[in-house]
Amino acid sequence: MSETEGQRLAARLEYLFEHVQPLGRRHTLQEVVEGIKAVEDPGGVSLSVGRLSMLMNGKAPNPTIGTLRALAAFFGVPVGYFVDDAVADRTMAQLALITAMRNNDVKAVALRAAAVATLSAEGLDVVRGLVEQAADQPRQHDDKGV
């Protein structure tokens, strides 16, 4: 079964909410809406919590380009992230690295993966795999107080 456009957009938005957390926690829908309002000009995009919720649930598959631009600006990603699979893959790999580097347990893995990613397009898959593998492993501490 193929993924609909609405589901694809919802998954990409969810990824942003999970990985772009400058406050140390997931943004609320209200924070995103208020953040967009704070940077947009008065004649710009108007996004409500309800509309954002519909986008997050895959029930509003056709947002305007203005909405996509506003969301991209808020989360600090290229607008192509929402519509181009190659851009989305690169952006997701970069966000995964940033998230991993915040986690001291996988910092070394993320740095090695970053070097691999710069070598080839396949490096993006390697990065994602390494980061996901490291994140899925339980934290290992020895009994020496480490």
Side-chain angles (χ1 to χ4, degrees):
M1 181 198 272
S2 67
E3 186 177 50
T4 67
E5 290 297 317
Q7 291 168 328
R8 184 175 301 125
L9 177 60
R12 289 180 183 174
L13 278 170
E14 179 61 30
Y15 195 88
L16 292 176
F17 274 85
E18 289 294 322
H19 289 83
V20 180
Q21 299 185 356
L23 303 174
R25 61 168 174 75
R26 183 183 173 102
H27 283 290
T28 66
L29 298 180
Q30 184 67 42
E31 288 170 340
V32 173
V33 168
E34 289 173 3
I36 288 171
K37 284 180 185 173
V39 297
E40 287 297 318
D41 62 39
V45 172
S46 175
L47 183 64
S48 69
V49 170
R51 178 72 173 160
L52 181 54
S53 177
M54 289 176 67
L55 291 169
M56 293 286 299
N57 291 316
K59 295 181 181 174
N62 296 314
T64 66
I65 189 66
T67 296
L68 295 179
R69 284 183 180 139
L71 287 166
F74 178 84
F75 285 106
V77 298
V79 73
Y81 168 82
F82 294 110
V83 295
D84 184 313
D85 291 340
V87 173
D89 288 344
R90 280 193 306 273
T91 303
M92 290 169 133
Q94 291 167 352
L95 291 172
L97 281 174
I98 292 167
T99 299
M101 289 175 14
R102 285 187 190 138
N103 179 346
N104 289 333
D105 291 340
V106 294
K107 190 172 185 176
V109 172
L111 292 173
R112 283 190 302 251
V116 171
T118 62
L119 299 177
S120 69
E122 292 81 23
L124 296 175
D125 290 330
V126 172
V127 169
R128 187 174 290 121
L130 287 172
V131 170
E132 288 171 357
Q133 178 184 2
D136 288 342
Q137 293 177 352
R139 292 179 186 230
Q140 307 247 340
H141 298 289
D142 59 31
D143 293 332
K144 299 176 186 170
V146 176

